[in-house]
Every structure is written in C-alpha cells, then in structure tokens.
Amino acid sequence: MNASPADTVLVVGAGIMGAGIAQIAAQAGHPVFLFDARAGAASEARGKLRETLSGLAAKGKLSTSDVEETISRIEPITSLQAASTARLVVEAIVERLDAKRALFRELEDVVATDAVLATNTSSISVTAIANGLRHPGRVVGMHFFNPVPLMRLVEVVSGLQTDAAVAEAVFELARTWRKVPVHAKSTPGFIVNRIARPFYAETLALLQEQAADPETVDRCLTGAGFRMGACELMDLIGHDTNFSVTQSVYEANFFDKRFVPSLVQRELVDGGLLGRKSGRGFYAYPRTLTPAPSAPPAPLVKPKFVTLHGSGSDADRLFGLVERALAGGDARLAREARSGWTGLEADGARLVLTDGRPAFEIARDAPTPDVAVFDLPLVWDAISGPPVLAYAVHVSSSTGWKAQVPAWLAAFGFDGVAVADTPGLVVARTVAMLINEAADAVQQGVCNRDGANVAMKLGVNYPAGPFDWLDAWGARNVASVIRELDVAYRGERYRLSPWLRCRAATSRQGAQA
Ligand code: NAD
C-alpha cells in the first residue's frame, strides 16, 4: 500500500475514536466510508462533526470551504459491502477480541486482498486479532489517542505476522495525517499504557502507606514539570478506566506482581468514586482551586562550616546556590567531590539528595541524627513561584534541623514540602520506575529509545522522555533508587531492568553515569 490521499479509507465504529479518525483522514484528503453497527450512528457522527468544524470556522480557525470539503468526503454507509474500494480499514469498534476478529473476517470478503486492516485497539493483541485470517500479514495496530484530532501520537503496532512493509506504509500514512507515529511491538499496553503504569502505581503506593496526601503528591509531580499530578490525572481519566487498564496489563502479563493494581484505587472504583465524572475521586468536584500556599520556612541560620558533597551537574549547581546563600557571612565553604553522596553538610547536619535511601538509613552511618533527604529536582528554575520539592527529615533529628531543612531548600529556590521518610520520596521514585519500565520495553523490543521518548511526551504529555531523564540523571543513580525501593518493599515491583543494570555497571567503569 502506498499512502495516497486518493485511497479510500473505511472507518468501522463511529464512536468517540472512529469519528475522530474519520475526521483526520478526510482532512488529509481521503474519501472516507464510515460504518457503525448501530443504525444511524455514522450519520449522527458526521452531523456532530459538521457542528464542531462549523464552530471552528466561526472562530476563524477553518474556512467554510474546508468544512464542506471535509464533510463531503465522509460517507456514512449502512452496509460494509458498500466499502469494497477501501484501501485501508481502521477499526474502532467495541474493545472485544471476538468482535474484532469477526469484523476482519467479514471484511476479508469485502475489500481487496492487498488492502490494509488496521485496528485502533488499546489493549488487545494485534497478533490475536489477525489469527484465523487468510492474510494476517496485513493486520496492523494504528493506536490513536483521545481526542484524535488533537493528540499527535500514533502507535503503529506490529503483531507476530504483520508484514514489515504494511507497518511501514501505515507509519508513513500517519505522517501524512499530521501525526507522529512510533513503531511498537504487540505486547500488553504497547508503549504508552505500559510505561505509564508506574506514574499511577507509585503515587497509589505512597497514598496507601500514607506517606503523603493526594494534594502533596500532585504538587510534587507538577513541581517536577508534569502537567498534572497523578491524582488529578486519575480523577480526570476516571478510576474505572484507569483501574481497568492496569488490570488488563497485569492479567496480560500473567499476573506479574510488577503491575499489580492498587487496593486504594479498587476501593474508589467499588465505591463509585470515579473522579470528575462522578463528582468525587481523590478530590471533590467542582474543585476549589488555589491550594493554600505553604507557610514560609524559618529564616536560614548561617552555619560556621559548610561542605558541599558530590560531583556532577546537580552538585555543581548546589555549590553555586550554597555560595550565594552564604554570601556576606563568615561561614567557611568547602567542596568534597568524592563522598559518594550529593548534598550539603552544615555544621555536621546533612541534607542529602535522595539516592533511594530513607533518611533513617543514612543516619545509621552518619555522625549525627540531623539528617534529611530531598527529592530529585527536575525543575530548578521558578516559572510561577518556586518549584515544589519533597523532603523527609530523620525522625530523631533535632527540632532546629527540622526547621532548617525547608529553609535550606528555600535558599536553593524550592518550596519544600515534608513527606514521610520513604525510599525515593515522590519524584525520584516515580521517574526511576518510569525509566525502568521503558528500559524493559526497549530490551524486549517493544520500541526503541526514541520511540519511548516520543510516545511518552506526546501520548501522555510528559515533560521529557524516560531516556532523556536517564541521560540527565545517570543509570547508576536510577539503579540506586530502584535497588533501595526493592530493599524496602521486597517484591517484584522493584525488579531492576537487566538493561538498566548493565548500563549502571558500565557507567561505573567510566562511561557516562
Ligand atoms: P465507543 O463506544 O465510543 O464507540 C464504539 C462504536 O463501535 C460504537 O458506536 C458502537 O456502536 C460501534 N460498534 C460496536 N461493535 C461494532 C461492530 N461489530 N461493528 C461496527 N460497529 C460496532 O468506543 P471508543 O472509545 O471510540 O473505542 C473504540 C476503540 O478504540 C476500542 O477498541 C478502544 O479500546 C479504542 N481506543 C479508545 C480510546 C479512548 O480513549 N476512548 C483510546 C484509544 C483507543
């Protein structure tokens, strides 16, 4: 199949996804047949689309002729037989294997033998959908994201029998539809729905052990550049939908404990607290915005002796900030690059950039109980106020040190928020696990590094891709956080990816950390 706007596209299923796919195919110039098993659904979808596009035309975002041309290219049909000229079928029907298989079997008798059969499934194996067809090589996944006209990512999913040329043709076609395609192997959750699991799971784990409340976790995640915190995002997606994706990835992986769903979320689902759509999830809706600002920290008490420990860009940056904080005083500032930890020592008290160890663990080897850890700062520069950053103080620390920790973080430009003394705090733990999942996906050939980066940035709006974070943070540091999580929780969830383990070992021998 060569991608040409002259090729007729058949979209089956005129629901939320099918209508969007029909729209973008028509806008790219294709004649589009639209079919739905429910009588009248295809015409209704076209009518709704006309309204939406006319609204955009009224705002000057489209011309009236664009609207008419697009609509005129979409032809609702009442029988699949009418679509025999289709060169590409995109299926967006109910998410059931039997229904999708039956549809493609029927279509084999309708369209030409070299027409491509694409499925928009978000969770079913493309290999399984192709099973039993006469020409399984032409079945491919074309996984769009909702809302289709706005979301740029398309996962082009190859099953075991998908012809490489078919996947390539669909990839190129998606580009002509102004999408950004990435190749994926048919495995549970494909790329985005798999790699994103820890974003929700780590937050749910923190909530379960009462390490922080939803608002605090969300503030830390948005402080790290995520557009939404995991709690508000789950409320938006709907806990029923989010829980069912997690469950399907868990089941499809033969109940690998790594993907085990959360009791916290199941309770919300069982209670009908589904998020925005039901009026309550983690938050009540309509939500009262503007969370109360944190109380200002105590003034910084300038110590006599300060040592900045560690090497690398975070340590360098911290050194500059400490210098600035101590300017004009008579404190003596030293640098110790070979300590094995990054952070500050102020008259013996330690403020340590998390390496996964809780503060109580670090305090065991420290000469003082005045020990605190702070989270991985992904955003250093204030955009609208100081970025929120989690910290935890060792329980036996002095009252004075407990008050000085947020003061130091404020001096570094952060709004410190206290959380429980838990491994990897909020952001480091979440990002490390996202990287770990992405590393497994790459090792298992689900996607390549670029594919994972693009997919996570465009599919779920992450501020950076997992391998961007890995490059900036270093494999040793990521592996250290995951190992500490594994030590603390002892379970399959925190199994270090062999790919990452190898990278961490290699970087110890002098390669980029
Ligand atoms: P939807 O319920 O809005 O629409 C499905 C449509 O398919 C309905 O109009 C229904 O009448 C029709 N239909 C059902 N069985 C049919 C059949 N055998 N033949 C023809 N038409 C049939 O669902 P949706 O949200 O648009 O999802 C469609 C597909 O896209 C599913 O596979 C889903 O997993 C996938 N998907 C959904 C999203 C999302 O966010 N909604 C995102 C990515 C992928």
Side-chain angles (χ1 to χ4, degrees):
M1 189 193 108
N2 291 318
S4 149
D7 288 335
T8 298
V9 175
L10 163 64
V11 178
V12 188
I16 186 156
M17 297 303 286
I21 296 165
Q23 176 189 335
I24 60 163
Q27 283 177 322
H30 296 270
V32 177
F33 290 124
L34 183 58
F35 175 81
D36 196 285
R38 186 170 65 79
S43 303
E44 279 166 30
R46 191 172 86 144
K48 261 196 223 154
L49 179 60
R50 184 194 288 279
E51 272 174 36
T52 311
L53 295 183
S54 302
L56 291 176
K59 288 184 193 155
K61 294 186 173 165
L62 281 179
S63 71
T64 326
S65 60
D66 281 344
V67 177
E68 284 317 311
E69 276 171 29
T70 301
I71 295 298
S72 69
R73 288 191 198 113
I74 301 177
E75 185 183 340
I77 54 173
T78 53
S79 154
L80 286 175
Q81 307 303 320
S84 59
T85 52
R87 306 289 304 139
L88 167 71
V89 178
V90 186
E91 164 281 304
I93 66 167
V94 61
E95 186 72 342
R96 270 194 3 235
L97 176 61
D98 60 338
K100 291 185 192 288
R101 267 190 188 154
L103 172 70
F104 281 145
R105 268 196 209 123
E106 188 180 346
L107 283 166
E108 279 201 307
D109 292 329
V110 175
V111 296
T113 47
D114 61 347
V116 169
L117 304 180
T119 170
N120 183 45
T121 180
S122 36
S123 63
I124 301 175
S125 152
V126 172
T127 308
I129 293 173
N131 184 5
L133 294 187
R134 291 199 294 275
H135 302 286
R138 58 168 156 166
V139 177
V140 64
M142 226 179 159
H143 185 214
F144 291 87
F145 289 73
N146 186 17
V148 177
L150 298 183
M151 297 298 285
R152 290 166 65 213
L153 180 69
V154 179
E155 292 177 338
V156 175
V157 186
S158 291
L160 275 184
Q161 300 200 71
T162 305
D163 227 313
V166 166
E168 215 41 61
V170 161
F171 189 94
E172 289 307 323
L173 182 72
R175 281 197 176 152
T176 69
W177 292 5
R178 299 184 179 193
K179 296 295 174 195
V180 182
V182 294
H183 282 293
K185 187 157 90 176
S186 181
T187 43
F190 308 140
I191 307 174
V192 172
N193 279 338
R194 172 197 181 140
I195 297 178
R197 290 341 303 150
F199 186 67
Y200 313 109
E202 294 312 312
T203 284
L204 291 164
L206 286 165
L207 296 178
Q208 183 160 11
E209 62 186 68
Q210 303 190 76
D213 60 18
E215 193 157 305
T216 301
V217 177
D218 280 355
R219 290 180 70 213
C220 292
L221 291 169
T222 50
F226 288 96
R227 223 177 262 189
M228 292 178 97
C231 297
E232 44 182 349
L233 183 54
M234 285 185 269
D235 271 7
L236 177 67
I237 295 168
H239 288 281
D240 49 346
T241 306
N242 190 258
F243 186 63
S244 113
V245 176
T246 306
Q247 260 188 320
S248 91
V249 171
Y250 177 51
E251 285 167 23
N253 281 290
F254 304 115
F255 303 98
D256 184 341
K257 288 280 187 287
R258 175 134 171 183
F259 300 103
V260 76
S262 162
L263 283 176
V264 171
Q265 193 167 41
R266 194 179 69 184
E267 198 69 358
L268 288 169
V269 173
D270 287 352
L273 307 176
L274 305 180
R276 281 196 200 193
K277 63 184 171 189
S278 73
R280 202 178 140 194
F282 287 121
Y283 302 104
Y285 296 90
R287 198 170 157 206
T288 15
L289 288 171
T290 55
S294 323
L300 187 67
V301 179
K302 292 193 180 164
K304 291 199 181 70
F305 299 99
V306 179
T307 305
L308 199 288
H309 293 261
S311 57
S313 57
D314 283 346
D316 292 346
R317 205 188 275 251
L318 284 171
F319 187 75
L321 293 168
V322 175
E323 258 184 333
R324 195 183 66 186
L326 298 178
D330 52 8
R332 283 176 50 195
L333 175 60
R335 180 84 193 253
E336 179 50 76
R338 296 157 62 94
S339 319
W341 59 279
T342 296
L344 170 96
E345 194 166 4
D347 289 342
R350 293 184 178 184
L351 178 55
V352 179
L353 171 63
T354 181
D355 59 8
R357 288 176 301 161
F360 69 79
E361 199 78 51
I362 296 171
R364 280 210 307 218
D365 303 326
T368 164
D370 283 350
V371 172
V373 284
F374 65 100
D375 208 349
L376 176 70
L378 287 183
V379 174
W380 286 86
D381 302 309
I383 298 166
S384 56
V388 170
L389 194 69
Y391 69 90
V393 187
H394 175 39
V395 66
S396 310
S397 291
S398 64
T399 319
W401 180 235
K402 282 179 180 156
Q404 282 303 292
V405 172
W408 271 110
L409 291 175
F412 297 160
F414 296 106
D415 178 5
V417 292
V419 300
D421 190 10
T422 172
L425 299 169
V426 179
V427 173
R429 162 183 188 148
T430 304
V431 169
M433 288 300 286
L434 290 170
I435 295 170
N436 200 42
E437 200 51 56
D440 260 3
V442 165
Q443 185 174 41
Q444 294 163 15
V446 177
C447 56
N448 60 23
R449 289 172 51 120
D450 288 347
N453 282 342
V454 169
M456 301 319 284
K457 283 189 278 194
L458 297 185
V460 269
N461 292 319
Y462 285 177
F467 294 98
D468 299 327
W469 285 319
L470 174 66
D471 292 342
W473 192 10
R476 281 172 66 184
N477 295 326
V478 178
S480 164
V481 169
I482 295 168
R483 284 197 181 105
E484 291 301 330
L485 283 160
D486 189 38
V487 165
Y489 296 106
R490 285 288 172 223
E492 290 295 301
R493 192 191 293 288
Y494 302 106
R495 196 169 63 214
L496 184 61
S497 160
W499 188 96
L500 203 49
R501 183 163 177 254
C502 174
R503 294 276 301 193
T506 318
S507 62
R508 206 169 288 141
Q509 290 157 11
Q512 201 257 322

